[in-house]
């Protein structure tokens, strides 16, 4: 509505804005979360019983619930993308705007706007990844329907799957890998696979036939098209990586892959350290800073599993590489001259690669703090008490470890 031509009194509009702000700020989010979770639990239980009609009724109740709509708006306005707009350039940055958005969310005559296409750099920086950014309204609608779809995805999902799953993390994946590989009879070879353009190539017809949600709404999500350089392009395949519901679509598409691999191959995954940085010509201080930034991040990620032997191996390998680095810089000097120039004593510990300003961390000093094993058969909606107790335990462990 164009307010410059509105006959509504300005005082009335101001009152309406204040009223909406007050309504948003007085929402009890604990009650809202509890009510939405209650419906999600019922959906999960109905899915276990394969009561399809009941699942549909409960999904309808959830997607038309005021609390679910409010939580959907809250989620899209509090994540990292809250300041990134779609093609309409609208952001919900005020309490009044969030409340009005909540009240306006509806599936009646819903038509998704095209995505705003941007390209972001991949890790190798050789190619760029396409990212489709929906409008705030479309993100909220997607989040709302994701609330109703997630319980089904959790019930039907592969047991040993950890990406984009409620109550699961990369640490749980590492712990599962350790349990599988720690035995003497464990496999010695690991196959790492990568699905090329996973999100971009998901088949729309398969999704429409197999994903249990409102087909008309799903078509709007999938067929919205995207705008790039002011030109509208159709979307024939795939689900946008910037979409709130895309991760659910991807997981549900890949469900069953675990069973297929188990029937034919041994499966597991493995992390690795890549050669991130070549620094033969760098100063020692700069080299230490760059190496520490990589090592601290890598050890923080892997210190929750049995990694002492690996840390020691990497520490020894680093020493040998740094010896080569020093030799490259001073090829005419002998080994002891190079060692005395770059390695010194610190706090009574000899042979520390250091300068007057910084020093290279010793991976042998990293404490191993085991991550509690997740019971992979547990469902976050049906076994809510287990996940609450586990979350509290993880918080206690984190606080104890600083």
């Amino acid at each position: 509505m164009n307010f410059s031509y509105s006959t509504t009194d300005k005082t009335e509009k101001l009152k309406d804005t204040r009223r909406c702000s007050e309504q948003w700020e007085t929402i009890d989010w604990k009650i809202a979360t509890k009510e939405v979770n209650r419906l999600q639990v019922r959906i999960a239980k109905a899915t276990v019983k394969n009561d399809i009609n009941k699942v549909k009724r409960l999904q309808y109740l959830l997607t038309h619930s005021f609390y679910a709509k409010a939580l959907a708006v809250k989620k899209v306005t509090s994540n990292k993308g809250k300041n990134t707009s779609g093609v309409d350039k609208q952001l919900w940055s005020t309490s009044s705007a969030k409340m009005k958005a909540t009240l306006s969310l509806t599936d009646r005559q819903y038509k998704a706007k095209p995505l705003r296409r941007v390209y972001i750099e991949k890790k190798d920086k050789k190619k760029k990844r396409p990212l489709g950014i929906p409008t705030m309204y479309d993100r909220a609608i997607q989040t709302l329907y994701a609330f109703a779809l997630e319980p089904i995805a959790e019930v039907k999902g592969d047991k040993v799957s950890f990406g984009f799953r409620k109550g699961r993390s990369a640490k749980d994946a590492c712990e599962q890998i350790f349990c599988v590989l720690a035995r003497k009879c464990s496999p010695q070879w690991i196959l790492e696979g990568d699905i090329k353009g996973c999100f971009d190539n998901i088949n729309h017809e398969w999704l429409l036939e197999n994903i249990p949600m409102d087909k008309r709404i799903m078509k709007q999500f999938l067929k919205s098209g995207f705008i790039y350089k002011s030109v509208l392009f159709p979307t024939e395949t795939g689900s946008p990586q910037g979409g709130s519901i895309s991760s659910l679509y991807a997981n549900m598409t890949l469900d069953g892959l675990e069973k297929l691999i188990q029937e034919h191959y041994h499966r597991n995954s493995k992390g690795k350290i890549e050669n991130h940085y070549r620094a033969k010509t760098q100063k020692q201080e700069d080299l230490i800073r760059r190496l520490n930034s990589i090592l601290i991040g890598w050890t923080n990620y892997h210190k929750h599993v049995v990694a002492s032997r690996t840390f020691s191996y990497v520490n020894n390998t680093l020493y040998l590489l740094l010896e080569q680095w020093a030799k490259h810089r001073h090829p005419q000097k002998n080994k002891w001259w190079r060692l005395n120039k770059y390695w010194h004593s610190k706090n009574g510990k000899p042979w520390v690669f250091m300068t007057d300003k910084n020093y290279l961390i010793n991976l042998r000093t990293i404490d191993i703090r085991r991550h509690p094993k997740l019971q992979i058969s547990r469902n976050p909606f049906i076994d809510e008490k287990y996940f609450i107790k586990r979350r509290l335990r993880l918080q206690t462990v984190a606080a104890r470890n600083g």
Side-chain angles (χ1 to χ4, degrees), residues 171-230:
K171 294 177 183 177
D172 296 313
C174 290
E175 189 64 25
Q176 177 66 21
I177 291 170
F178 170 76
C179 291
V180 173
L181 298 180
R183 299 186 295 269
K184 291 183 178 179
C185 60
S186 296
Q188 298 299 307
W189 292 91
I190 299 169
L191 174 65
E192 180 181 3
D194 184 21
I195 300 174
K196 185 177 181 180
C198 178
F199 284 92
D200 299 330
N201 296 309
I202 297 175
N203 185 277
H204 285 183
E205 285 67 32
W206 187 93
L207 288 173
L208 290 167
E209 289 178 7
N210 294 277
I211 303 299
M213 65 169 286
D214 189 306
K215 306 305 180 186
R216 185 181 67 82
I217 299 296
M218 184 189 287
K219 280 185 179 180
Q220 290 297 317
F221 293 162
L222 298 175
K223 304 292 186 180
S224 61
F226 66 90
I227 292 178
Y228 182 63
K229 292 183 177 180
S230 302

Side-chain angles (χ1 to χ4, degrees), residues 10 83 103 116 138 226 275 313 335 337 340 373 386:
K10 290 184 178 180
N83 295 321
L103 297 174
R116 180 166 70 89
D138 291 333
F226 66 90
N275 187 4
Y313 172 79
K335 179 179 179 179
W337 185 94
N340 288 323
K373 177 74 170 64
Y386 167 79

Side-chain angles (χ1 to χ4, degrees), residues 35-301:
E35 286 300 309
V36 171
N37 186 255
R38 181 179 63 84
L39 285 172
Q40 288 179 314
V41 169
R42 293 181 65 190
I43 291 172
K45 290 181 177 179
T47 304
V48 171
K49 296 178 180 178
N50 201 29
D51 192 338
I52 299 174
N53 290 329
K54 187 174 183 180
V55 168
K56 290 181 178 180
R57 291 197 301 270
L58 291 169
Q59 283 184 308
Y60 181 87
L61 287 176
L62 181 53
T63 54
H64 291 76
S65 160
F66 168 77
Y67 282 132
K69 292 178 180 180
L71 279 174
V73 171
K74 185 175 186 290
K75 187 172 182 177
V76 301
T77 56
S78 58
N79 58 22
K80 292 181 179 179
K82 65 181 180 181
N83 295 321
T84 305
S85 62
V87 293
D88 60 358
K89 298 182 180 180
Q90 290 187 8
L91 294 174
W92 299 336
S93 55
T94 65
S95 297
S96 175
K98 294 172 187 177
M99 190 65 211
K100 289 178 181 178
T102 300
L103 297 174
S104 69
L105 287 186
T106 178
D107 59 354
R108 293 180 183 177
Q109 298 180 340
Y110 170 70
K111 184 173 177 59
K113 288 184 171 62
L115 307 168
R116 180 166 70 89
R117 172 61 61 88
V118 297
Y119 288 88
I120 58 176
E121 288 187 349
K122 290 188 175 182
K123 288 183 179 180
D124 57 13
K125 296 185 179 179
K126 294 178 181 178
K127 295 182 180 180
K128 291 188 176 182
R129 179 191 305 139
L131 191 66
I133 302 175
T135 63
M136 295 295 288
Y137 189 91
D138 291 333
R139 269 179 265 176
I141 289 288
Q142 288 184 22
T143 302
L144 180 62
Y145 277 82
F147 287 158
L149 184 60
E150 188 178 20
I152 302 173
E154 284 295 333
V155 170
K156 295 185 176 182
D158 289 341
K159 300 302 180 185
V160 189
S161 167
F162 299 91
F164 307 109
R165 297 282 296 273
K166 185 174 182 179
R168 301 190 178 203
S169 67
K171 294 177 183 177
D172 296 313
C174 290
E175 189 64 25
Q176 177 66 21
I177 291 170
F178 170 76
C179 291
V180 173
L181 298 180
R183 299 186 295 269
K184 291 183 178 179
C185 60
S186 296
Q188 298 299 307
W189 292 91
I190 299 169
L191 174 65
E192 180 181 3
D194 184 21
I195 300 174
K196 185 177 181 180
C198 178
F199 284 92
D200 299 330
N201 296 309
I202 297 175
N203 185 277
H204 285 183
E205 285 67 32
W206 187 93
L207 288 173
L208 290 167
E209 289 178 7
N210 294 277
I211 303 299
M213 65 169 286
D214 189 306
K215 306 305 180 186
R216 185 181 67 82
I217 299 296
M218 184 189 287
K219 280 185 179 180
Q220 290 297 317
F221 293 162
L222 298 175
K223 304 292 186 180
S224 61
F226 66 90
I227 292 178
Y228 182 63
K229 292 183 177 180
S230 302
V231 179
L232 177 62
F233 297 89
T235 47
E236 302 297 338
T237 60
S239 183
Q241 291 194 42
S244 305
I245 202 170
S246 296
S247 57
L248 273 177
Y249 287 164
N251 271 346
M252 297 183 80
T253 302
L254 296 174
D255 283 339
L257 185 60
E258 175 189 327
K259 183 179 179 181
L260 183 65
I261 293 175
Q262 280 180 327
E263 291 173 353
H264 295 85
Y265 310 100
H266 292 288
R267 92 246 178 272
N268 286 316
S269 59
K270 178 183 179 183
K272 62 180 180 180
I273 298 180
E274 297 176 350
N275 187 4
H276 289 279
Y277 190 59
R278 294 183 178 273
K280 292 181 179 179
T281 59
Q282 293 294 310
K283 294 181 179 179
Q284 184 184 16
E285 184 177 325
D286 295 333
L287 179 59
I288 290 173
R289 186 177 66 253
R290 290 297 299 270
L291 284 174
N292 279 344
S293 67
I294 295 171
L295 293 172
I296 290 172
W298 184 77
T299 53
N300 282 340
Y301 187 85

Side-chain angles (χ1 to χ4, degrees), residues 228-388:
Y228 182 63
K229 292 183 177 180
S230 302
V231 179
L232 177 62
F233 297 89
T235 47
E236 302 297 338
T237 60
S239 183
Q241 291 194 42
S244 305
I245 202 170
S246 296
S247 57
L248 273 177
Y249 287 164
N251 271 346
M252 297 183 80
T253 302
L254 296 174
D255 283 339
L257 185 60
E258 175 189 327
K259 183 179 179 181
L260 183 65
I261 293 175
Q262 280 180 327
E263 291 173 353
H264 295 85
Y265 310 100
H266 292 288
R267 92 246 178 272
N268 286 316
S269 59
K270 178 183 179 183
K272 62 180 180 180
I273 298 180
E274 297 176 350
N275 187 4
H276 289 279
Y277 190 59
R278 294 183 178 273
K280 292 181 179 179
T281 59
Q282 293 294 310
K283 294 181 179 179
Q284 184 184 16
E285 184 177 325
D286 295 333
L287 179 59
I288 290 173
R289 186 177 66 253
R290 290 297 299 270
L291 284 174
N292 279 344
S293 67
I294 295 171
L295 293 172
I296 290 172
W298 184 77
T299 53
N300 282 340
Y301 187 85
H302 291 287
K303 69 181 181 182
H304 303 284
V305 296
V306 181
S308 297
R309 185 180 297 178
T310 301
F311 286 178
S312 181
Y313 172 79
V314 172
N315 214 61
N316 292 337
T317 303
L318 273 174
Y319 173 76
L320 296 175
L321 292 173
L322 290 172
E323 270 195 332
Q324 294 178 16
W325 170 85
K327 185 177 181 179
H328 177 84
R329 288 177 65 87
H330 307 283
Q332 303 302 322
K333 301 293 184 179
N334 62 45
K335 179 179 179 179
W336 291 107
W337 185 94
R338 294 192 295 266
L339 288 175
N340 288 323
K341 179 174 177 61
Y342 294 108
W343 281 265
H344 308 283
S345 295
K346 179 177 175 60
N347 299 329
K349 295 182 180 180
W351 308 115
V352 178
F353 189 73
M354 60 180 293
T355 66
D356 293 335
K357 296 182 179 180
N358 56 3
Y359 64 94
L360 186 67
I361 63 170
N362 186 344
L363 272 62
R364 292 192 183 93
T365 64
I366 303 296
D367 291 332
I368 302 299
R369 300 164 184 170
R370 293 297 302 276
H371 183 73
K373 177 74 170 64
L374 171 73
Q375 295 181 21
I376 59 176
S377 61
R378 298 281 190 168
N379 185 293
F381 297 102
I382 298 175
D383 305 304
E384 185 181 5
K385 290 183 179 179
Y386 167 79
F387 280 91
I388 291 174

